[in-house]
Amino acid sequence: MQASGQLGEFLRSRRSRLSPGEAGVVTYGGRRRVPGLRREELALLAGVSASYYARLEQGLATNASPEVLDALSRALRLDDAERRHLSGLAAGGRRPVTRRPPPERVDPTVRQLVAALGDVPVLVLGRRLDVLAWNVAGHALFAGHLEPAAVDRPDRRPNMARLIFLDAHTRDLYVDWPAKARAVVATLRATSGQHPADPLLAALVGELAVRSPEFAAAWADHRVKAGGHAGYEMRHPVVGVLAVTQQTLRTEDDQVLVVATTAPGSPSQAAMTLLVHTAVTGRAADRQPLPASG
């Protein structure tokens, strides 16, 4: 997952999805051998030489200037998230490969925020989508079948991408599983542009590509996502179907808080209240000491 290779793959994928008509390129009939724009057509639109653009796609040029990247972004009609991804990939080709990074840790102030949200389900995700922390409600909503203490073991932490693609329980949680799967892959894609030399991220992507053909197909699409919020219909085994809005908030440590909310006064809010109450009382019962034997 070298940055130069990713840069070329990303450019090819965006070029192939843009038709000559959309780009304002005049064609004169005849059969085109490639979907979307040809290399030389994109180079002309961006104002760079065809040979230089070809070197970019082949991973042979790692010195693209901000002006060139901006011109390519305009020609390819990239959105803001895709522009940032392109810039990150271009910069990543000039960075040295990093050693195995240390385990991610959650800042105490972030833990305070998670605890303060109380009955609102919250997860803290690392940059590779490892679950670094959750409150009782977050654990109950997203991964009630896992041990609550799993997040406290860096070598055993759940990973949201693995759960979505490889865990049957998590897959069944989402009524529209393909939409959630695409969002997870797009998030990993954006991260790969920011940290192209991360060996643990490369290992995760390789594992998922081998074990899940659906992940491999989605990864090849090069879709990127920049956070925000999304609505999902979740099919929970304890309380049934509920509509949830998942909002993502980024911390200073490049971690993400996922906060799940429901519409006030809705059946989904009632189901969420019941789920959280069940989880809290269950935890309390687990902490009760056994009665002394007579």
Side-chain angles (χ1 to χ4, degrees):
M1 198 174 68
Q2 293 184 349
S4 57
Q6 285 197 79
L7 175 63
E9 291 174 2
F10 181 68
L11 288 171
R12 282 192 296 274
S13 71
R14 301 305 90 174
R15 176 169 60 84
S16 67
R17 75 173 185 178
L18 187 63
S19 70
E22 292 172 324
V25 174
V26 178
T27 59
Y28 299 95
R31 186 175 180 179
R32 296 175 66 88
R33 293 180 297 174
V34 296
L37 293 177
R38 298 187 176 109
R39 282 180 179 172
E40 57 270 21
E41 290 170 338
L42 177 57
L44 182 62
L45 288 173
V48 299
S49 71
S51 60
Y52 175 72
Y53 178 75
R55 287 170 55 81
L56 280 177
E57 279 202 5
Q58 294 164 0
L60 301 177
T62 59
N63 60 342
S65 67
E67 292 77 17
V68 167
L69 296 176
D70 187 57
L72 287 172
S73 296
R74 289 196 306 271
L76 290 168
R77 303 192 175 187
L78 303 185
D79 61 27
D80 289 342
E82 291 171 326
R83 284 172 177 261
R84 289 192 294 271
H85 186 64
L86 178 63
S87 296
L89 290 175
R94 300 187 288 271
R95 300 186 193 120
V97 176
T98 59
R99 297 180 180 178
R100 184 183 180 90
E104 293 181 89
R105 301 181 184 278
V106 180
D107 188 272
T109 58
V110 175
R111 290 190 180 276
Q112 290 174 17
L113 176 59
V114 171
L117 289 173
D119 294 345
V120 179
V122 183
L123 302 179
V124 180
L125 301 179
R127 72 188 192 198
R128 305 173 202 92
L129 301 186
D130 292 324
V131 184
L132 307 181
W134 50 29
N135 59 7
V136 173
H139 170 255
L141 178 63
F142 292 104
H145 63 304
L146 301 180
E147 286 294 323
V151 295
D152 299 325
R153 294 274 305 275
D155 58 332
R156 300 286 299 275
R157 282 171 173 159
N159 177 276
M160 190 52 65
R162 286 194 186 97
L163 290 176
I164 289 294
F165 283 94
L166 306 178
D167 181 77
H169 173 94
T170 307
R171 187 179 184 121
D172 287 344
L173 276 178
Y174 291 90
V175 175
D176 188 357
W177 177 85
K180 180 61 178 178
R182 287 192 298 270
V184 167
V185 175
T187 298
L188 278 182
R189 260 296 175 196
T191 303
S192 73
Q194 298 164 358
H195 306 280
D198 185 336
L200 296 181
L201 179 59
L204 173 64
V205 169
E207 174 195 348
L208 292 172
V210 169
R211 298 180 64 185
S212 171
E214 293 156 315
F215 177 89
W219 186 255
D221 185 56
H222 287 263
R223 186 190 305 265
V224 295
K225 182 173 180 287
H229 65 276
Y232 296 103
E233 193 172 26
M234 302 182 74
R235 188 190 302 108
H236 200 278
V238 175
V239 296
V241 176
L242 63 167
V244 173
T245 299
Q246 295 182 18
Q247 302 183 58
T248 57
L249 310 171
R250 190 165 296 277
T251 72
E252 292 182 355
D253 295 329
D254 203 24
Q255 297 168 1
V256 169
L257 271 74
V258 179
V259 182
T261 58
T262 53
S266 66
S268 294
Q269 185 184 51
M272 184 74 81
T273 300
L274 176 60
L275 175 63
V276 174
H277 174 75
T278 301
V280 170
T281 54
R283 291 274 188 97
D286 290 341
R287 289 194 295 268
Q288 290 295 323
L290 294 173
S293 59

